[in-house]
Coordinates of all heavy atoms in Angstrom, one line a residue:
V1 N 9.3 -51.3 -35.4 CA 9.9 -51.0 -34.1 C 8.8 -51.1 -33.0 O 7.7 -50.5 -33.2 CB 10.6 -49.7 -34.1 CG1 11.1 -49.3 -32.7 CG2 11.7 -49.6 -35.1
Y2 N 9.1 -51.7 -31.9 CA 8.2 -51.7 -30.8 C 8.8 -51.1 -29.6 O 10.0 -51.3 -29.4 CB 7.8 -53.2 -30.4 CG 6.9 -53.8 -31.5 CD1 7.5 -54.5 -32.6 CD2 5.5 -53.8 -31.3 CE1 6.7 -55.1 -33.5 CE2 4.7 -54.4 -32.3 CZ 5.3 -55.0 -33.4 OH 4.5 -55.6 -34.3
I3 N 8.1 -50.3 -28.8 CA 8.6 -49.7 -27.6 C 7.6 -50.1 -26.5 O 6.4 -50.0 -26.6 CB 8.6 -48.2 -27.8 CG1 9.6 -47.7 -28.8 CG2 9.0 -47.5 -26.4 CD1 9.7 -46.2 -29.0
L4 N 8.2 -50.5 -25.4 CA 7.4 -50.9 -24.2 C 7.4 -49.6 -23.3 O 8.5 -49.1 -22.9 CB 8.0 -52.1 -23.5 CG 7.3 -52.5 -22.2 CD1 5.9 -52.9 -22.5 CD2 8.1 -53.6 -21.5
M5 N 6.2 -49.1 -23.0 CA 6.1 -47.9 -22.2 C 5.4 -48.2 -20.9 O 4.6 -49.1 -20.8 CB 5.3 -46.9 -22.9 CG 5.9 -46.5 -24.3 SD 7.4 -45.5 -24.1 CE 6.7 -43.9 -24.0
D6 N 5.7 -47.5 -19.8 CA 4.9 -47.6 -18.6 C 3.7 -46.8 -18.8 O 3.4 -46.2 -19.9 CB 5.7 -47.2 -17.4 CG 6.2 -45.7 -17.4 OD1 5.6 -44.9 -18.2 OD2 7.1 -45.4 -16.6
N7 N 2.9 -46.7 -17.8 CA 1.6 -46.0 -17.9 C 1.6 -44.6 -17.4 O 0.6 -44.0 -16.9 CB 0.5 -46.8 -17.1 CG 0.2 -48.1 -17.8 OD1 -0.3 -48.0 -19.0 ND2 0.4 -49.2 -17.2
A8 N 2.7 -43.9 -17.5 CA 2.8 -42.5 -17.2 C 1.9 -41.7 -18.1 O 1.7 -42.0 -19.3 CB 4.2 -42.0 -17.3
G9 N 1.2 -40.7 -17.5 CA 0.2 -40.0 -18.2 C 0.8 -39.3 -19.5 O 0.1 -39.2 -20.5
I10 N 2.0 -38.9 -19.4 CA 2.6 -38.2 -20.6 C 2.7 -39.1 -21.8 O 2.6 -38.6 -22.9 CB 4.0 -37.6 -20.2 CG1 4.5 -36.7 -21.3 CG2 5.0 -38.7 -20.0 CD1 5.7 -35.9 -21.0
H11 N 2.8 -40.4 -21.6 CA 2.9 -41.3 -22.7 C 1.6 -41.5 -23.5 O 1.6 -42.0 -24.6 CB 3.3 -42.7 -22.2 CG 4.7 -42.7 -21.6 ND1 5.1 -43.5 -20.6 CD2 5.7 -41.8 -21.8 CE1 6.3 -43.3 -20.3 NE2 6.7 -42.2 -21.0
Y12 N 0.5 -41.0 -22.9 CA -0.8 -41.1 -23.5 C -1.2 -39.8 -24.2 O -2.3 -39.7 -24.8 CB -1.9 -41.5 -22.5 CG -1.8 -42.9 -22.1 CD1 -1.1 -43.2 -20.9 CD2 -2.4 -43.9 -22.8 CE1 -1.0 -44.6 -20.5 CE2 -2.3 -45.2 -22.4 CZ -1.6 -45.6 -21.3 OH -1.5 -46.9 -20.9
L13 N -0.4 -38.7 -24.1 CA -0.8 -37.4 -24.8 C -0.9 -37.6 -26.3 O -0.1 -38.3 -26.9 CB 0.3 -36.4 -24.4 CG 0.4 -35.9 -23.0 CD1 1.5 -34.9 -22.8 CD2 -1.0 -35.4 -22.5
R14 N -1.9 -36.9 -26.8 CA -2.1 -37.0 -28.3 C -0.9 -36.6 -29.1 O -0.5 -37.3 -30.1 CB -3.3 -36.1 -28.6 CG -3.6 -36.2 -30.1 CD -4.9 -35.4 -30.4 NE -6.0 -36.1 -29.7 CZ -7.1 -35.5 -29.3 NH1 -7.2 -34.2 -29.5 NH2 -8.1 -36.1 -28.7
E15 N -0.2 -35.6 -28.6 CA 1.0 -35.1 -29.4 C 2.1 -36.2 -29.4 O 2.8 -36.4 -30.4 CB 1.6 -33.9 -28.8 CG 0.7 -32.7 -28.8 CD -0.3 -32.7 -27.6 OE1 0.1 -33.3 -26.5 OE2 -1.4 -32.1 -27.7
I16 N 2.3 -36.9 -28.3 CA 3.3 -37.9 -28.2 C 2.9 -39.1 -29.0 O 3.7 -39.7 -29.8 CB 3.5 -38.4 -26.7 CG1 3.9 -37.2 -25.8 CG2 4.5 -39.5 -26.6 CD1 5.2 -36.6 -26.1
R17 N 1.7 -39.5 -28.9 CA 1.2 -40.7 -29.6 C 1.2 -40.5 -31.1 O 1.5 -41.4 -31.9 CB -0.2 -41.1 -29.2 CG -0.2 -41.6 -27.7 CD -1.5 -41.9 -27.2 NE -2.1 -43.1 -27.8 CZ -3.3 -43.5 -27.6 NH1 -4.1 -42.9 -26.7 NH2 -3.7 -44.6 -28.2
S18 N 1.0 -39.3 -31.6 CA 1.0 -39.0 -33.0 C 2.4 -39.1 -33.6 O 2.6 -39.5 -34.7 CB 0.4 -37.6 -33.3 OG 1.2 -36.6 -32.8
K19 N 3.4 -38.7 -32.7 CA 4.8 -38.9 -33.2 C 5.2 -40.3 -33.4 O 5.9 -40.7 -34.3 CB 5.8 -38.2 -32.2 CG 5.7 -36.7 -32.1 CD 6.7 -36.2 -31.2 CE 6.5 -34.7 -31.0 NZ 6.9 -33.9 -32.1
Y20 N 4.7 -41.2 -32.5 CA 4.9 -42.7 -32.7 C 4.3 -43.1 -34.1 O 5.0 -43.8 -34.8 CB 4.3 -43.5 -31.6 CG 4.8 -43.2 -30.2 CD1 3.9 -43.3 -29.2 CD2 6.1 -42.9 -30.0 CE1 4.3 -43.0 -27.9 CE2 6.5 -42.7 -28.7 CZ 5.6 -42.7 -27.6 OH 6.1 -42.5 -26.4
L21 N 3.1 -42.7 -34.3 CA 2.4 -43.1 -35.6 C 3.1 -42.5 -36.8 O 3.3 -43.2 -37.8 CB 1.0 -42.6 -35.6 CG 0.1 -43.3 -34.5 CD1 -1.3 -42.6 -34.5 CD2 -0.1 -44.7 -34.8
D22 N 3.6 -41.3 -36.7 CA 4.3 -40.7 -37.8 C 5.6 -41.5 -38.2 O 6.0 -41.5 -39.3 CB 4.8 -39.2 -37.5 CG 3.6 -38.3 -37.4 OD1 2.4 -38.7 -37.8 OD2 3.7 -37.2 -36.8
H23 N 6.2 -42.1 -37.2 CA 7.5 -42.8 -37.4 C 7.3 -44.3 -37.4 O 8.2 -45.1 -37.4 CB 8.5 -42.4 -36.4 CG 8.9 -41.0 -36.4 ND1 9.7 -40.5 -37.4 CD2 8.6 -40.0 -35.6 CE1 9.8 -39.2 -37.2 NE2 9.2 -38.8 -36.1
R24 N 6.0 -44.8 -37.5 CA 5.7 -46.2 -37.6 C 6.3 -47.0 -36.4 O 6.8 -48.1 -36.6 CB 6.2 -46.8 -38.9 CG 5.5 -46.2 -40.1 CD 5.9 -46.9 -41.4 NE 5.2 -46.2 -42.5 CZ 5.4 -46.6 -43.7 NH1 6.3 -47.5 -44.0 NH2 4.7 -46.0 -44.7
V25 N 6.1 -46.4 -35.3 CA 6.6 -47.0 -34.0 C 5.3 -47.6 -33.3 O 4.3 -46.9 -33.2 CB 7.3 -46.0 -33.1 CG1 7.6 -46.6 -31.7 CG2 8.5 -45.5 -33.7
N26 N 5.4 -48.9 -33.0 CA 4.3 -49.5 -32.2 C 4.6 -49.4 -30.7 O 5.7 -49.8 -30.3 CB 4.2 -51.0 -32.6 CG 3.8 -51.1 -34.1 OD1 2.8 -50.6 -34.5 ND2 4.6 -51.8 -34.8
V27 N 3.6 -49.0 -30.0 CA 3.8 -48.8 -28.5 C 3.0 -49.9 -27.8 O 1.8 -50.1 -28.1 CB 3.3 -47.4 -28.1 CG1 3.5 -47.3 -26.6 CG2 4.1 -46.3 -28.8
I28 N 3.6 -50.5 -26.9 CA 3.0 -51.5 -26.0 C 3.0 -50.9 -24.6 O 4.1 -50.6 -24.1 CB 3.7 -52.9 -26.1 CG1 3.7 -53.4 -27.5 CG2 3.0 -53.9 -25.2 CD1 4.6 -54.6 -27.7
Y29 N 1.9 -50.8 -24.0 CA 1.8 -50.3 -22.6 C 1.9 -51.4 -21.6 O 1.2 -52.4 -21.8 CB 0.6 -49.4 -22.4 CG 0.6 -48.2 -23.2 CD1 0.0 -48.1 -24.5 CD2 1.3 -47.1 -22.8 CE1 0.0 -46.9 -25.2 CE2 1.4 -45.9 -23.6 CZ 0.7 -45.8 -24.8 OH 0.8 -44.7 -25.5
N30 N 2.7 -51.2 -20.6 CA 2.9 -52.2 -19.6 C 1.6 -52.3 -18.7 O 0.7 -51.4 -18.8 CB 4.0 -51.8 -18.7 CG 4.6 -53.0 -17.9 OD1 4.1 -54.1 -17.9 ND2 5.7 -52.7 -17.2
V31 N 1.4 -53.3 -17.9 CA 0.3 -53.5 -17.1 C 0.3 -52.3 -16.0 O 1.4 -51.8 -15.7 CB 0.3 -54.8 -16.4 CG1 0.1 -55.9 -17.4 CG2 1.5 -55.0 -15.5
P32 N -0.8 -52.0 -15.5 CA -0.8 -50.9 -14.4 C 0.1 -51.3 -13.3 O 0.2 -52.4 -12.9 CB -2.3 -50.9 -14.0 CG -3.1 -51.4 -15.1 CD -2.2 -52.4 -15.8
Y33 N 0.7 -50.3 -12.7 CA 1.7 -50.5 -11.7 C 1.0 -50.7 -10.3 O 0.1 -50.0 -10.0 CB 2.6 -49.2 -11.6 CG 3.7 -49.3 -10.6 CD1 4.8 -50.2 -10.8 CD2 3.6 -48.6 -9.4 CE1 5.8 -50.3 -9.8 CE2 4.6 -48.7 -8.4 CZ 5.7 -49.6 -8.7 OH 6.7 -49.7 -7.7
C34 N 1.5 -51.7 -9.6 CA 1.1 -52.0 -8.2 C 2.3 -51.9 -7.3 O 3.1 -52.8 -7.2 CB 0.4 -53.3 -8.2 SG -1.0 -53.5 -9.2
C35 N 2.4 -50.8 -6.6 CA 3.6 -50.6 -5.7 C 3.7 -51.7 -4.7 O 4.8 -52.0 -4.3 CB 3.6 -49.2 -5.1 SG 2.2 -48.9 -4.0
Y36 N 2.6 -52.2 -4.2 CA 2.6 -53.2 -3.1 C 3.2 -54.5 -3.6 O 3.5 -55.4 -2.8 CB 1.3 -53.4 -2.4 CG 0.2 -53.7 -3.3 CD1 -0.1 -55.0 -3.7 CD2 -0.6 -52.7 -3.9 CE1 -1.2 -55.3 -4.5 CE2 -1.7 -53.0 -4.7 CZ -1.9 -54.3 -5.0 OH -3.0 -54.6 -5.9
L37 N 3.3 -54.7 -4.9 CA 3.8 -55.9 -5.5 C 5.3 -55.8 -5.8 O 5.9 -56.8 -6.3 CB 3.1 -56.3 -6.8 CG 1.6 -56.7 -6.6 CD1 1.0 -57.0 -7.9 CD2 1.5 -57.9 -5.7
N38 N 5.9 -54.6 -5.6 CA 7.3 -54.4 -5.9 C 8.1 -54.2 -4.6 O 8.0 -53.2 -4.0 CB 7.4 -53.1 -6.8 CG 8.8 -52.9 -7.4 OD1 9.7 -53.6 -6.9 ND2 8.9 -52.0 -8.3
P39 N 8.9 -55.2 -4.3 CA 9.7 -55.1 -3.0 C 10.6 -53.9 -2.9 O 10.8 -53.4 -1.8 CB 10.5 -56.4 -3.0 CG 9.9 -57.2 -4.1 CD 9.2 -56.4 -5.0
I40 N 11.1 -53.3 -4.0 CA 12.0 -52.2 -3.9 C 11.2 -51.0 -3.3 O 11.8 -50.1 -2.6 CB 12.6 -51.8 -5.2 CG1 13.8 -50.9 -5.0 CG2 11.6 -51.2 -6.2 CD1 15.0 -51.5 -4.3
E41 N 9.9 -50.9 -3.4 CA 9.1 -49.8 -2.9 C 9.2 -49.8 -1.4 O 9.2 -48.7 -0.8 CB 7.7 -49.8 -3.4 CG 7.5 -49.6 -4.9 CD 7.9 -48.3 -5.3 OE1 8.0 -47.3 -4.5 OE2 8.1 -48.1 -6.5
Y42 N 9.3 -51.0 -0.8 CA 9.4 -51.0 0.7 C 10.7 -50.4 1.1 O 10.8 -49.6 2.1 CB 9.3 -52.5 1.2 CG 9.5 -52.7 2.6 CD1 8.6 -52.3 3.6 CD2 10.7 -53.2 3.1 CE1 8.9 -52.4 4.9 CE2 11.0 -53.4 4.4 CZ 10.0 -53.0 5.3 OH 10.3 -53.1 6.7
C43 N 11.8 -50.8 0.4 CA 13.1 -50.2 0.7 C 13.1 -48.7 0.5 O 13.7 -48.0 1.3 CB 14.2 -50.9 -0.2 SG 14.3 -52.6 0.0
F44 N 12.5 -48.2 -0.6 CA 12.5 -46.8 -0.8 C 11.7 -46.1 0.3 O 12.1 -45.0 0.7 CB 11.8 -46.5 -2.2 CG 12.7 -46.8 -3.4 CD1 12.1 -47.2 -4.6 CD2 14.1 -46.7 -3.3 CE1 12.9 -47.5 -5.7 CE2 14.9 -47.0 -4.4 CZ 14.3 -47.4 -5.6
S45 N 10.7 -46.7 0.8 CA 9.9 -46.0 1.8 C 10.7 -45.9 3.1 O 10.6 -44.8 3.8 CB 8.6 -46.7 2.1 OG 8.8 -48.0 2.7
I46 N 11.5 -46.8 3.4 CA 12.4 -46.7 4.6 C 13.4 -45.7 4.4 O 13.7 -44.8 5.3 CB 13.0 -48.1 4.9 CG1 12.0 -49.1 5.3 CG2 14.1 -48.0 6.0 CD1 12.5 -50.5 5.4
L47 N 14.0 -45.6 3.2 CA 15.1 -44.6 2.9 C 14.4 -43.2 3.0 O 15.0 -42.3 3.5 CB 15.7 -44.9 1.6 CG 16.7 -43.9 1.1 CD1 17.9 -43.7 2.1 CD2 17.2 -44.2 -0.3
K48 N 13.2 -43.0 2.4 CA 12.6 -41.7 2.4 C 12.3 -41.3 3.8 O 12.4 -40.1 4.1 CB 11.3 -41.8 1.5 CG 11.6 -41.8 0.0 CD 10.4 -41.5 -0.8 CE 9.4 -42.6 -0.7 NZ 8.3 -42.5 -1.7
K49 N 11.8 -42.2 4.6 CA 11.5 -41.9 6.0 C 12.8 -41.3 6.7 O 12.7 -40.3 7.4 CB 11.0 -43.1 6.7 CG 10.0 -42.8 7.8 CD 9.5 -44.1 8.5 CE 8.5 -44.8 7.6 NZ 7.9 -45.9 8.2
Y50 N 13.9 -42.0 6.5 CA 15.2 -41.6 7.0 C 15.6 -40.2 6.5 O 16.0 -39.3 7.3 CB 16.3 -42.6 6.7 CG 17.7 -42.1 7.0 CD1 18.2 -42.2 8.3 CD2 18.5 -41.6 6.0 CE1 19.4 -41.8 8.6 CE2 19.8 -41.2 6.3 CZ 20.3 -41.3 7.6 OH 21.5 -40.9 7.9
L51 N 15.4 -40.0 5.2 CA 15.8 -38.7 4.6 C 15.0 -37.5 5.1 O 15.4 -36.4 5.2 CB 15.9 -38.8 3.1 CG 16.9 -39.7 2.5 CD1 16.7 -39.9 1.0 CD2 18.3 -39.2 2.8
K52 N 13.7 -37.8 5.3 CA 12.8 -36.7 5.8 C 13.1 -36.2 7.2 O 12.8 -35.1 7.5 CB 11.3 -37.2 5.8 CG 10.8 -37.3 4.4 CD 9.3 -37.8 4.4 CE 8.8 -38.0 3.0 NZ 7.4 -38.5 3.0
K53 N 13.9 -37.0 7.9 CA 14.3 -36.5 9.3 C 15.4 -35.5 9.2 O 15.6 -34.8 10.2 CB 14.8 -37.7 10.1 CG 13.7 -38.7 10.5 CD 14.3 -39.8 11.3 CE 13.2 -40.9 11.5 NZ 13.7 -42.0 12.3
H54 N 16.0 -35.3 8.1 CA 17.2 -34.4 7.9 C 16.7 -33.2 7.0 O 15.9 -33.4 6.1 CB 18.4 -35.1 7.3 CG 18.9 -36.2 8.1 ND1 18.3 -37.5 8.1 CD2 20.0 -36.3 8.9 CE1 19.0 -38.2 9.0 NE2 20.0 -37.5 9.5
K55 N 17.3 -32.1 7.3 CA 17.0 -30.9 6.5 C 18.0 -30.9 5.3 O 19.1 -30.6 5.5 CB 17.1 -29.6 7.3 CG 16.6 -28.4 6.6 CD 16.6 -27.2 7.5 CE 15.9 -26.1 6.7 NZ 15.7 -24.9 7.6
I56 N 17.5 -31.3 4.2 CA 18.3 -31.5 3.0 C 18.1 -30.2 2.1 O 17.0 -30.0 1.6 CB 18.0 -32.8 2.3 CG1 18.2 -33.9 3.2 CG2 18.8 -32.9 1.0 CD1 17.7 -35.2 2.6
M57 N 19.2 -29.5 1.9 CA 19.1 -28.3 1.1 C 19.8 -28.4 -0.2 O 19.6 -27.5 -1.1 CB 19.7 -27.1 1.9 CG 19.0 -26.9 3.2 SD 17.2 -26.5 3.1 CE 17.3 -24.8 2.7
T58 N 20.6 -29.4 -0.4 CA 21.4 -29.5 -1.7 C 21.3 -30.9 -2.2 O 21.1 -31.9 -1.4 CB 22.8 -29.1 -1.5 OG1 23.5 -30.0 -0.6 CG2 23.0 -27.7 -0.9
Q59 N 21.5 -31.1 -3.4 CA 21.6 -32.4 -4.0 C 22.8 -33.2 -3.5 O 22.6 -34.4 -3.2 CB 21.7 -32.3 -5.6 CG 21.7 -33.6 -6.3 CD 21.8 -33.5 -7.8 OE1 21.8 -32.4 -8.3 NE2 21.8 -34.6 -8.4
E60 N 23.9 -32.5 -3.2 CA 25.0 -33.2 -2.6 C 24.7 -33.8 -1.3 O 25.1 -34.9 -1.0 CB 26.2 -32.2 -2.5 CG 26.8 -31.8 -3.9 CD 26.0 -30.8 -4.6 OE1 25.2 -30.1 -4.0 OE2 26.2 -30.6 -5.8
K61 N 24.0 -33.1 -0.4 CA 23.6 -33.6 0.9 C 22.7 -34.8 0.8 O 22.8 -35.7 1.5 CB 23.0 -32.4 1.7 CG 22.7 -32.8 3.1 CD 24.0 -33.0 3.9 CE 23.7 -33.2 5.4 NZ 24.9 -33.4 6.1
L62 N 21.8 -34.7 -0.2 CA 20.9 -35.8 -0.4 C 21.6 -37.1 -0.8 O 21.4 -38.1 -0.2 CB 19.9 -35.5 -1.5 CG 19.0 -36.6 -2.0 CD1 18.0 -37.0 -0.9 CD2 18.2 -36.2 -3.2
I63 N 22.6 -36.9 -1.7 CA 23.4 -38.1 -2.1 C 24.2 -38.6 -1.0 O 24.3 -39.8 -0.7 CB 24.3 -37.7 -3.3 CG1 23.4 -37.4 -4.5 CG2 25.3 -38.8 -3.6 CD1 24.1 -36.8 -5.7
E64 N 24.8 -37.7 -0.2 CA 25.7 -38.1 0.9 C 24.9 -38.9 2.0 O 25.3 -39.9 2.4 CB 26.3 -36.8 1.6 CG 27.1 -37.1 2.8 CD 27.5 -35.8 3.5 OE1 27.5 -34.7 2.9 OE2 27.8 -35.9 4.7
L65 N 23.7 -38.3 2.4 CA 22.9 -39.0 3.4 C 22.4 -40.4 2.8 O 22.3 -41.3 3.6 CB 21.7 -38.1 3.8 CG 22.1 -37.0 4.7 CD1 20.9 -36.0 4.8 CD2 22.5 -37.5 6.0
S66 N 22.0 -40.4 1.6 CA 21.5 -41.7 1.0 C 22.6 -42.7 1.0 O 22.3 -43.9 1.4 CB 21.0 -41.4 -0.4 OG 19.9 -40.5 -0.4
L67 N 23.8 -42.4 0.6 CA 24.9 -43.3 0.5 C 25.3 -43.8 1.9 O 25.5 -45.0 2.1 CB 26.0 -42.7 -0.2 CG 25.8 -42.5 -1.7 CD1 27.0 -41.8 -2.3 CD2 25.6 -43.8 -2.4
D68 N 25.3 -42.8 2.9 CA 25.6 -43.2 4.2 C 24.6 -44.2 4.8 O 25.0 -45.2 5.4 CB 25.7 -42.0 5.1 CG 26.9 -41.1 4.9 OD1 27.8 -41.5 4.2 OD2 26.9 -39.9 5.4
Y69 N 23.4 -43.9 4.6 CA 22.3 -44.8 5.1 C 22.4 -46.2 4.5 O 22.3 -47.2 5.2 CB 20.9 -44.2 4.9 CG 19.8 -45.1 5.4 CD1 19.5 -45.0 6.7 CD2 19.1 -45.9 4.5 CE1 18.5 -45.8 7.2 CE2 18.2 -46.8 5.0 CZ 17.8 -46.7 6.3 OH 16.8 -47.5 6.8
L70 N 22.5 -46.2 3.2 CA 22.6 -47.5 2.5 C 23.8 -48.3 2.8 O 23.7 -49.5 3.0 CB 22.5 -47.3 0.9 CG 21.2 -46.7 0.4 CD1 21.3 -46.4 -1.1 CD2 20.1 -47.7 0.6
E71 N 24.9 -47.6 3.0 CA 26.2 -48.3 3.4 C 26.0 -48.9 4.8 O 26.3 -50.1 4.9 CB 27.3 -47.3 3.4 CG 28.7 -48.0 3.7 CD 29.8 -47.0 3.6 OE1 30.1 -46.6 2.5 OE2 30.3 -46.7 4.7
D72 N 25.5 -48.2 5.7 CA 25.3 -48.7 7.1 C 24.3 -49.9 7.1 O 24.6 -50.9 7.8 CB 24.8 -47.6 8.0 CG 25.9 -46.5 8.3 OD1 27.1 -46.8 8.0 OD2 25.5 -45.5 8.8
N73 N 23.2 -49.7 6.4 CA 22.2 -50.8 6.4 C 22.5 -52.0 5.5 O 22.1 -53.1 5.9 CB 20.9 -50.2 6.1 CG 20.4 -49.3 7.2 OD1 20.0 -49.8 8.2 ND2 20.5 -48.0 7.0
L74 N 23.3 -51.8 4.5 CA 23.7 -52.9 3.6 C 24.6 -53.8 4.4 O 24.6 -55.0 4.3 CB 24.3 -52.5 2.3 CG 23.2 -51.9 1.3 CD1 24.0 -51.4 0.1 CD2 22.2 -52.9 0.9
K75 N 25.5 -53.2 5.2 CA 26.5 -54.0 6.0 C 25.7 -54.9 6.9 O 26.0 -56.1 7.1 CB 27.4 -53.1 6.8 CG 28.5 -52.4 6.0 CD 29.3 -51.5 6.9 CE 30.3 -50.7 6.1 NZ 31.0 -49.8 6.9
D76 N 24.7 -54.3 7.6 CA 23.8 -55.1 8.5 C 23.1 -56.3 7.8 O 23.1 -57.4 8.3 CB 22.8 -54.2 9.2 CG 23.4 -53.2 10.1 OD1 24.6 -53.4 10.5 OD2 22.7 -52.2 10.5
D77 N 22.6 -56.0 6.6 CA 21.9 -57.0 5.8 C 22.8 -58.1 5.4 O 22.5 -59.3 5.4 CB 21.2 -56.4 4.6 CG 20.0 -55.5 5.0 OD1 19.5 -55.6 6.2 OD2 19.6 -54.7 4.2
I78 N 24.0 -57.7 4.9 CA 25.0 -58.7 4.4 C 25.4 -59.6 5.6 O 25.5 -60.8 5.5 CB 26.2 -58.0 3.8 CG1 25.7 -57.4 2.4 CG2 27.3 -59.0 3.5 CD1 26.7 -56.4 1.8
N79 N 25.7 -59.0 6.7 CA 26.2 -59.7 7.9 C 25.1 -60.7 8.4 O 25.4 -61.8 8.8 CB 26.6 -58.8 9.0 CG 27.9 -58.1 8.7 OD1 28.7 -58.6 7.9 ND2 28.1 -56.9 9.3
S80 N 23.9 -60.3 8.4 CA 22.8 -61.1 8.9 C 22.5 -62.3 7.9 O 22.0 -63.3 8.3 CB 21.5 -60.3 9.2 OG 21.0 -59.8 8.0
A81 N 22.8 -62.1 6.6 CA 22.6 -63.1 5.6 C 23.7 -64.2 5.7 O 23.4 -65.3 5.2 CB 22.6 -62.5 4.2
M82 N 24.8 -63.9 6.3 CA 25.9 -64.9 6.3 C 25.8 -65.8 7.5 O 25.2 -65.8 8.4 CB 27.2 -64.2 6.3 CG 27.5 -63.5 5.1 SD 29.1 -62.7 5.1 CE 29.3 -62.4 3.4

């Protein structure tokens, strides 16, 4: 069995790695992450900037504001693409 893992620090802990060895699991680590090469990070940064302007006290409010923002901006993107 092979598992592809990202480079999160927890995946390198001795206790975690020994469990893989105990169960004969081979771990392949992905290349180091480069946020500037991932276009979704640009989108997330815009969304985070929008959300920071609001005082969010509950998970429900976070979800509501996120969906509202995405809905409004996706409409603009779809319309401009046509």
Side-chain angles (χ1 to χ4, degrees):
V1 174
Y2 289 87
I3 296 178
L4 178 64
M5 303 290 273
D6 63 17
N7 288 300
I10 192 169
H11 298 152
Y12 288 95
L13 294 178
R14 182 174 294 152
E15 300 84 27
I16 302 295
R17 293 174 72 180
S18 67
K19 290 185 188 285
Y20 299 144
L21 294 173
D22 292 346
H23 296 289
R24 295 183 181 176
V25 172
N26 296 304
V27 178
I28 301 170
Y29 292 97
N30 201 356
V31 297
Y33 182 71
C34 297
C35 63
Y36 55 88
L37 296 176
N38 189 349
I40 195 65
E41 295 296 341
Y42 175 73
C43 300
F44 286 149
S45 70
I46 294 170
L47 177 59
K48 286 193 292 189
K49 213 179 280 185
Y50 170 79
L51 293 173
K52 285 180 182 180
K53 291 179 184 178
H54 297 81
K55 189 170 185 175
I56 300 171
M57 301 300 278
T58 65
Q59 183 177 358
E60 290 78 18
K61 188 67 173 174
L62 172 66
I63 293 168
E64 177 188 338
L65 286 171
S66 298
L67 292 175
D68 289 347
Y69 180 82
L70 292 172
E71 183 178 289
D72 291 345
N73 288 286
L74 287 176
K75 284 180 188 175
D76 294 341
D77 290 344
I78 290 169
N79 290 334
S80 67
M82 293 182 165

